[in-house]
Amino acid sequence: TYTNETESHVIAKELSLLERHKLEALTAQRKKIYVMSRFDEKSISEISTELSISPRTVENHLFVSRREIREFIKQCI
């Protein structure tokens, strides 16, 4: 079990690095919204209010950025 936990930790760390690498390639607005959602754990309504944009725009940016990051990680695996 210890080996499995160590391996899982290493894989998770590598995936996190890939995510952050692709994050740098996103547009400024998408990057900001993704970071606020993923790392700052803010809701769509909180992001919408803070950035003065519609919740639907936030949803669209999150959808596209998540898809781009997911596709990038799939290509790397």
Side-chain angles (χ1 to χ4, degrees), residues 3 16 30:
T3 304
S16 179
R30 282 197 183 129

Side-chain angles (χ1 to χ4, degrees), residues 21-72:
H21 175 73
K22 181 60 180 175
L23 186 58
E24 295 304 317
L26 297 177
T27 63
Q29 184 80 332
R30 282 197 183 129
K31 178 180 177 181
K32 183 184 294 187
I33 290 170
Y34 186 87
V35 167
M36 291 172 81
S37 173
R38 173 96 163 94
F39 301 111
D40 299 340
E41 298 180 1
K42 293 189 178 186
S43 69
I44 289 173
S45 61
E46 290 172 321
I47 297 168
S48 171
T49 302
E50 192 170 322
L51 299 179
S52 301
I53 55 177
S54 77
R56 187 71 180 144
T57 301
V58 173
E59 289 173 358
N60 287 334
H61 280 297
L62 281 173
F63 176 78
V64 172
S65 61
R66 287 173 179 159
R67 184 181 64 207
E68 287 181 18
I69 290 173
R70 192 169 38 249
E71 290 301 317
F72 175 75

Side-chain angles (χ1 to χ4, degrees), residues 12-24:
K13 190 173 182 176
E14 289 175 1
L15 290 173
S16 179
L17 289 172
L18 288 172
E19 176 187 29
R20 290 190 183 268
H21 175 73
K22 181 60 180 175
L23 186 58
E24 295 304 317

